[in-house]
Amino acid sequence: MIVYTPFWKTLKNSKESTYTLITKHGISSNTLNRMRKGLPLSTVTINDLCRIFNCSVNDIIEYIPSTEDQSL
């Protein structure tokens, strides 16, 4: 399962806030709500967040194996 725990840590340690992400960078409040709920994001959105924070994907998302993952 993909979790966004690293994003919240990256956000906390930056000069940005959810307000500036929405107003200055055009990240939608729906995107932030999806992240809070652990719902999927597009790779375009992940790319945008990496550009905003000048960070790697690992600073935004983390994969944690889970029995709740869909069967392959």
Side-chain angles (χ1 to χ4, degrees), residues 11-49:
L11 178 63
K12 183 178 179 182
N13 294 327
S14 77
K15 63 179 181 176
E16 303 293 342
S17 66
T18 55
Y19 178 79
T20 61
L21 289 176
I22 294 167
T23 59
K24 180 179 175 186
H25 299 289
I27 302 296
S28 73
S29 59
N30 184 50
T31 295
L32 296 172
N33 284 329
R34 291 180 66 77
M35 293 176 81
R36 282 186 188 97
K37 295 177 182 178
L39 299 174
L41 297 180
S42 73
T43 54
V44 172
T45 300
I46 294 169
N47 183 72
D48 291 345
L49 292 169

Side-chain angles (χ1 to χ4, degrees), residues 1-6 34-41 46 60-72:
M1 119 183 347
I2 301 293
V3 296
Y4 303 104
T5 307
R34 291 180 66 77
M35 293 176 81
R36 282 186 188 97
K37 295 177 182 178
L39 299 174
L41 297 180
I46 294 169
I60 303 296
I61 62 174
E62 178 182 6
Y63 172 72
I64 299 175
S66 170
T67 57
E68 296 175 21
D69 286 343
Q70 67 186 14
S71 298
L72 300 176

